[in-house]
Each structure stands twice: as C-alpha cells, then as structure tokens.
Amino acid sequence: MARITRARMNAEADYFENTAAPRSDAAAADGERVAADPTRSDHTRACAGRAAEIARGHAADYRHIAETLRAGEIPDGLDLS
C-alpha cells in the first residue's frame, strides 16, 4: 500500500473543506428555498426539506473529514488511492 504524504492529505482536506462542503451547503440552501415555497406541493416541499437536511449533514461530514486529514489521520472508509 502506498504511503499518503502530508501534502496529499492537506490537498484532500482543502478539497473537502473548500469545494465539497460549500457545494453541499449550496444544495441545502436550494432545498430550503424550495421547502419554503408555498407554490410547491406538500410532497415536493417535504422532499426538498429532507434533501436539505441530508445536504447539511454531508457538508458537516466533509468538514469533519477535512479536520481529520489535517490532523494527520485518514478517516475510516475514505479511500485516497
């Protein structure tokens, strides 16, 4: 198994924190906007609200992954090969 360098871990952390997490935040904001739109059906609003919750969770997960990588550890289940 190849050794992952600290520079590679920091680069991956930058991606998770500066690309993946903001992308999920944007998706969550969009879901919240649709969930609050009274012109949408109840079903659509409920689905959008749940999707926003999931996206917020993903953003938090991505930030946690970045923090773990910056601490010099590889989170369980993360494949950097």
Side-chain angles (χ1 to χ4, degrees), residues 56-66:
R56 289 273 181 235
H58 287 171
D61 290 345
Y62 296 146
R63 288 184 177 94
H64 177 72
I65 290 169

Side-chain angles (χ1 to χ4, degrees), residues 17-80:
E17 187 169 27
N18 300 318
T19 302
R23 190 176 293 157
S24 288
D25 286 335
D30 188 50
E32 290 165 351
R33 180 187 55 77
V34 172
D37 184 348
T39 65
R40 305 291 181 122
S41 71
D42 290 344
H43 177 75
T44 297
R45 292 173 64 199
C47 289
R50 182 64 183 125
E53 290 175 21
I54 292 168
R56 289 273 181 235
H58 287 171
D61 290 345
Y62 296 146
R63 288 184 177 94
H64 177 72
I65 290 169
E67 180 182 322
T68 303
L69 287 167
R70 285 201 174 92
E73 301 175 20
I74 298 175
D76 291 338
L78 183 65
D79 183 10
L80 295 178

